């Protein structure tokens, strides 16, 4: 039997899971806005973005991963610039200045920046000579990318950037003391900044005691719970998600998982969680079999990044975490989010598929 | 730093264990809200969103000896402004409302809420109003049953009048009063889910107890005689 066949099987499974989540997401978006009459509009828009995403995947696949890897710093600079400029030229949506208005199409640079950021930190970690340098470079990189996000402010994305930085450091350096010290150094000032924002404090109050102010700060938290309760174990079915249509805020993006649970029930929700874990497991399986250590790290961290963002989103939706505006990769509506995720998918497959030159030369 | 395969396996294995534990906690929370505490949250959400109302029974007709309806009930639709609206938005609303129900709409600056915008909408206008309501949550489409009597003064006198008493259309004079019990029927009840803005959610309307419509009253050759019987 061919030696690579289990690997190819893993790749096929990965593609199938990604497609399942993407389709599932489309149904969620339709179901959570169908009664209000906007379901088809959102559905079509998402389909168009899927088309753009597929083009992005193709583009990434056609590009040599080594070339992308070599140009990580230039790409990071190219994404950091719009991240900084959005504060001056961007528009404010839901209290966050993080979007560019490109003639009716809203573009969020922080979403597209996620795969580039991952590429950069993987490159920095791989090139570091020791743990100290690795920690310093990753911390610096995280601070540089977090500053424009603090200004927006977009604490949900900072959380994703922080979590993936910690993961990359752990994989490359594996020093738990350094990791905890680094997290403490970053967490303290970030928590101080976050808690100085009145809206963050209100969200915490609403998260801890939603019943105290059900029509104010506790509104979103309670609506998430009501939507899940409405779905029960087996769900209400497509187009029947009354709560998501009438009450749940941002049911098609920030509350996509709760909306999906109302449609498909806890069973659908648990399957989704399992699918995201499988993405990480499959990326680990594919990555660990790769002969090139650079690509090995990137493939696994890419899978982890998708899984972590999804888990933060899901944790907010099951009210395990306080409310933060973060979309679910592949499930939520949003052009920038979907394009960013599919760019990452494209880069993962480019890393898998690009022939290993060292091996072929050797 | 070179990523050694064995080291990577150990470290990534720990991450996968961590993620699996996180997934488990999520599933516990999910199970809690969809099963264990479902009843509590469903009760709370019902109180917040579901409204019950009276589903009026249709009052019976008064029919002449020749089979001609002399008095009957009709459902009339109206659009009311149920919440304050900005001047700019009000102007846009009037423009669109004019396409549905052409009328010279008065300025909304000093009106009292609720404010009647237009009434007597036909079925086509009702459909258009439902669409308009989605764009302007400040307006509400309302309906009420009206009693219509043939336009003959003598007949009107014999038939008598009706009035809304405790939310029920009740005969207060003439034949309407005499045959009130037969004509009235029994109201039913319904429940419906309303949005944050108090609008009905399409598809959520359910009958709790169906109404029992009133019976028709067939008269002899002269209504006056029926009245004096």
């Amino acid at each position: 039997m061919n030696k690579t066949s289990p690997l190819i099987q893993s790749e096929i499974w990965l593609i199938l899971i990604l497609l399942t989540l993407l389709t599932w997401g489309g149904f969620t978006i339709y179901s959570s806005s169908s009664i209000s009459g906007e379901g088809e509009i959102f559905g079509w828009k998402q389909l168009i973005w899927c088309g753009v995403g597929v083009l992005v995947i193709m583009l990434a696949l056609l590009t040599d991963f080594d070339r992308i890897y070599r140009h990580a710093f230039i790409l990071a600079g190219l994404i950091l610039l719009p991240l900084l400029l959005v504060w001056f030229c961007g528009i404010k949506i839901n209290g966050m200045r993080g979007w560019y208005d490109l003639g009716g199409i809203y573009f969020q640079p922080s979403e597209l920046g996620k795969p580039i950021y991952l590429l950069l930190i993987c490159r920095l970690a791989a090139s570091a000579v020791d743990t100290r340098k690795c920690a310093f470079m990753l911390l610096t990189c995280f601070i540089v990318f977090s500053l424009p996000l603090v200004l927006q402010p977009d604490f949900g994305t900072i959380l994703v950037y922080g979590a993936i930085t910690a993961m990359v450091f752990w994989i490359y350096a594996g020093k738990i003391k350094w990791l905890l010290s680094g997290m403490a150094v970053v967490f303290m000032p970030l928590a101080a900044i976050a808690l100085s924002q009145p809206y963050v404090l209100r969200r915490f109050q609403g998260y801890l005691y939603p019943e105290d102010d059900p029509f104010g700060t506790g509104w979103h938290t309670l609506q998430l719970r009501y939507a899940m309760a409405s779905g029960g174990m087996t769900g209400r079915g497509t187009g029947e998600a009354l709560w998501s249509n009438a009450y749940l805020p941002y049911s098609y993006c920030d509350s996509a998982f709760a909306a999906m649970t109302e449609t498909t029930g806890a069973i659908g929700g648990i399957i989704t969680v399992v699918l995201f874990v499988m993405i990480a497991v499959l990326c680990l399986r594919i990555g660990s079999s790769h002969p090139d250590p650079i690509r090995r790290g990137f493939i696994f961290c890419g899978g982890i990044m998708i899984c972590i963002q999804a888990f933060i989103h899901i944790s907010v939706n099951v009210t395990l975490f306080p409310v933060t505006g973060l979309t679910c990769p592949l499930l939520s509506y949003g052009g920038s989010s979907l394009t960013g995720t599919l760019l990452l998918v494209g880069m993962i497959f480019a890393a898998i598929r690009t022939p290993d030159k060292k091996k072929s030369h050797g | 730093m070179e990523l050694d395969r064995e080291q990577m396996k150990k470290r990534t294995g720990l991450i996968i264990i961590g993620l699996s534990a996180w997934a488990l906690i999520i599933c516990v929370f999910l199970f809690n809200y969809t099963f264990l505490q479902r009843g509590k949250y469903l009760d709370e959400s019902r109180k917040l969103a579901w409204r019950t109302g009276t589903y009026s029974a249709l009052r019976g007709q008064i029919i002449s000896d020749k089979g001609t309806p002399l008095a009957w009930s009709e459902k009339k639709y109206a659009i009311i402004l149920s919440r304050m609206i900005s001047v700019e938005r009000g102007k846009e609303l009037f423009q669109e409302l004019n396409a549905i129900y052409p009328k010279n709409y008065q300025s909304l600056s000093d009106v009292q809420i609720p404010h009647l915008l237009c009434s007597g909408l036909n079925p086509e206008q009702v459909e258009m109003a439902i669409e308009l309501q989605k764009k302007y949550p400040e307006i509400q489409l309302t309906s009420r049953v009206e009693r219509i009597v043939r336009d003959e003064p003598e007949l009107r006198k014999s038939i008598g009048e009706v009035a809304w008493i405790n939310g029920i259309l009740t005969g207060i004079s003439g034949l309407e009063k005499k045959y009130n019990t037969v004509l009235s029927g029994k109201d039913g009840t319904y429940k419906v889910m309303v949005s944050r803005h108090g609008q009905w959610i399409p598809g959520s309307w359910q009958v709790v107890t169906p109404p029992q419509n009133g019976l028709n009253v067939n008269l002899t050759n002269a209504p006056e005689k029926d009245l004096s019987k």
Side-chain angles (χ1 to χ4, degrees):
Chain A
M1 197 159 176
N2 192 332
K3 233 182 165 182
T4 55
S5 63
L7 249 180
I8 292 169
Q9 270 181 11
S10 299
E11 283 177 43
I12 292 168
W13 272 110
L14 187 59
I15 294 167
L16 283 176
I17 290 171
L18 293 169
L19 283 174
T20 306
L21 285 169
L22 211 53
T23 316
W24 208 311
F27 277 115
T28 301
I29 292 160
Y30 172 76
S31 184
S32 61
S33 47
S34 59
I35 297 171
S36 57
E38 291 173 317
E40 283 183 23
I41 302 167
F42 279 126
W44 278 110
K45 277 187 181 176
Q46 184 76 346
L47 205 64
I48 292 167
W49 281 114
C50 278
V52 174
V54 169
L55 285 176
V56 170
I57 290 180
M58 301 295 278
L59 193 75
L61 270 174
L62 290 171
T63 316
D64 188 334
F65 180 77
D66 293 337
R67 184 178 286 180
I68 306 175
Y69 189 78
R70 270 202 309 277
H71 293 103
F73 289 107
I74 297 169
L75 289 170
L78 285 175
I79 206 71
L80 198 57
L81 199 65
L83 260 179
L84 285 165
L85 288 177
V86 80
W87 175 246
F88 304 102
C89 322
I91 58 159
K92 215 171 186 175
I93 298 176
N94 301 327
M96 199 181 97
R97 195 181 290 278
W99 280 268
Y100 286 105
D101 183 359
L102 308 172
I105 298 169
Y106 300 115
F107 163 69
Q108 197 181 3
S110 63
E111 289 291 343
L112 213 58
K114 283 171 190 166
I116 310 294
Y117 177 76
L118 177 67
L119 185 77
L120 180 72
I121 56 172
C122 280
R123 178 159 180 186
L124 288 172
S127 63
V129 286
D130 55 30
T131 307
R132 188 191 297 260
K133 277 213 167 150
C134 182
F136 175 74
M137 285 197 288
L138 292 193
L139 200 61
T140 311
C141 189
F142 173 68
I143 291 167
V144 168
F145 270 80
S146 296
L147 278 176
L149 294 170
V150 171
L151 290 173
Q152 288 182 14
D154 182 1
F155 292 105
T157 305
I158 295 173
L159 203 60
V160 176
Y161 278 37
I164 198 64
T165 311
M167 293 292 156
V168 169
F169 178 77
W170 168 248
I171 291 167
Y172 278 87
K175 298 278 194 286
I176 194 80
K177 275 184 193 170
W178 282 82
L179 185 64
L180 293 175
S181 317
M183 280 165 78
V185 166
V186 171
F187 182 75
M188 298 293 183
L190 260 181
I193 295 168
L195 292 174
S196 68
Q197 305 274 335
Y199 87 97
V200 178
L201 270 179
R202 279 200 299 273
R203 279 185 185 182
F204 262 102
Q205 277 172 348
Y207 160 69
L208 293 171
Y209 314 105
E211 274 96 358
D212 286 0
D213 188 10
F215 296 101
T217 53
W219 177 262
H220 200 150
T221 304
L222 284 177
Q223 299 319 308
L224 290 164
R225 290 178 187 176
Y226 294 158
M228 286 185 285
S230 168
M233 287 303 281
T234 50
R236 296 181 65 98
T238 309
E240 298 295 322
L242 288 174
W243 206 265
S244 306
N245 274 271
Y247 283 88
L248 190 62
Y250 313 111
S251 56
Y252 48 87
C253 53
D254 294 351
S255 310
F257 182 80
M260 194 213 64
T261 306
E262 193 189 6
T263 305
T264 62
I267 294 169
I270 290 167
I271 292 172
T272 309
V273 172
V274 171
L275 289 178
F276 277 113
V277 175
M278 278 180 74
I279 290 178
V281 173
L282 287 169
C283 282
L284 169 65
R285 197 170 170 204
I286 299 165
S288 56
S289 317
H290 208 286
D292 180 21
I294 288 167
R295 281 178 250 184
R296 200 183 296 156
F298 182 79
I299 294 164
F300 177 67
C301 292
I304 285 286
M305 191 168 196
I306 295 174
C307 190
I308 283 182
Q309 184 174 341
F311 272 21
I312 294 173
H313 169 94
I314 294 169
S315 297
V316 167
N317 276 242
V318 298
T319 65
L320 178 63
F321 288 178
V323 172
T324 172
L326 191 70
T327 55
C328 186
L330 306 163
L331 273 188
S332 295
Y333 171 78
S336 314
S337 164
L338 191 64
T339 313
T341 308
L342 293 182
L343 174 66
L344 178 60
V345 170
M347 282 164 70
I348 291 171
F349 278 100
I352 298 168
R353 289 278 153 201
T354 308
D356 189 10
K357 279 162 197 163
K358 278 183 236 165
K359 199 180 168 187
S360 53
H361 288 307
Chain B
M1 295 176 88
E2 186 82 2
L3 198 56
D4 177 63
R5 190 169 284 170
E6 284 309 307
Q7 273 184 339
M8 184 188 162
K9 265 190 183 171
K10 264 189 211 165
R11 291 166 189 171
T12 51
L14 278 173
I15 292 176
I16 296 291
I17 291 169
L19 282 176
S20 304
W22 192 354
L24 198 68
I25 296 168
I26 287 171
C27 291
V28 169
F29 268 68
L30 199 57
F31 187 69
N32 182 38
Y33 296 123
T34 54
F35 188 74
L36 295 178
Q37 290 206 67
R38 187 178 185 221
K40 179 199 162 194
Y41 285 108
L42 278 182
D43 284 347
E44 278 183 23
S45 63
R46 275 187 201 121
K47 276 181 206 158
L48 178 75
W50 288 90
R51 301 278 181 275
T52 52
T54 308
Y55 183 13
S56 300
L58 211 59
R59 193 172 170 82
Q61 295 181 3
I62 300 176
I63 301 168
S64 77
D65 58 331
K66 288 168 188 163
T68 316
L70 304 175
W72 64 93
S73 298
E74 267 182 22
K75 209 168 192 179
K76 298 275 184 185
Y77 289 90
I79 301 174
I80 59 162
L81 187 74
S82 57
R83 285 193 289 138
M84 284 309 288
I85 190 167
S86 68
V87 178
E88 279 304 306
R89 209 167 143 75
K91 278 179 190 167
E92 287 171 22
L93 169 68
F94 283 166
Q95 270 184 359
E96 296 197 40
L97 210 52
N98 247 315
I100 298 173
Y101 193 97
K103 181 186 159 186
N104 193 16
Y105 292 98
Q106 69 167 90
S107 164
L108 294 172
S109 50
D110 295 320
V111 295
Q112 284 223 321
I113 299 295
H115 171 70
L116 179 72
L117 292 169
C118 54
S119 61
L121 274 69
N122 62 36
E124 197 185 337
Q125 289 169 325
V126 169
E127 272 189 25
M128 290 161 86
I130 291 169
E131 287 303 310
L132 190 69
Q133 213 180 352
K134 287 176 189 168
K135 194 173 171 188
Y136 296 96
E138 297 91 346
I139 62 167
Q140 251 184 337
L141 183 69
T142 60
S143 68
R144 62 174 288 163
V145 175
E146 282 183 17
R147 194 69 173 164
I148 315 288
V149 182
R150 279 184 67 172
D151 197 13
E152 292 170 29
E154 277 306 305
L155 183 70
R156 276 179 174 272
K157 206 175 164 186
S158 306
I159 297 283
E161 286 182 349
V162 290
W164 288 95
I165 298 171
N166 296 329
I168 300 165
L169 203 59
T170 313
I172 53 166
S173 64
L175 291 169
E176 294 277 14
K177 187 181 179 183
K178 189 178 177 188
Y179 294 110
N180 188 51
T181 320
V182 183
L183 289 165
S184 289
K186 201 175 171 191
D187 285 350
T189 50
Y190 66 86
K191 63 174 188 175
V192 70
M193 193 177 175
V194 292
S195 73
R196 280 182 88 171
H197 309 299
Q199 290 175 327
W200 287 18
I201 305 298
S204 65
W205 192 85
Q206 294 165 24
V207 174
V208 180
T209 49
Q212 290 170 359
N213 288 338
L215 299 172
N216 293 344
V217 170
N218 291 289
L219 302 179
T220 55
N221 58 348
E224 300 81 27
K225 285 181 187 172
D226 285 291
L227 194 59
S228 60
K229 261 186 200 172

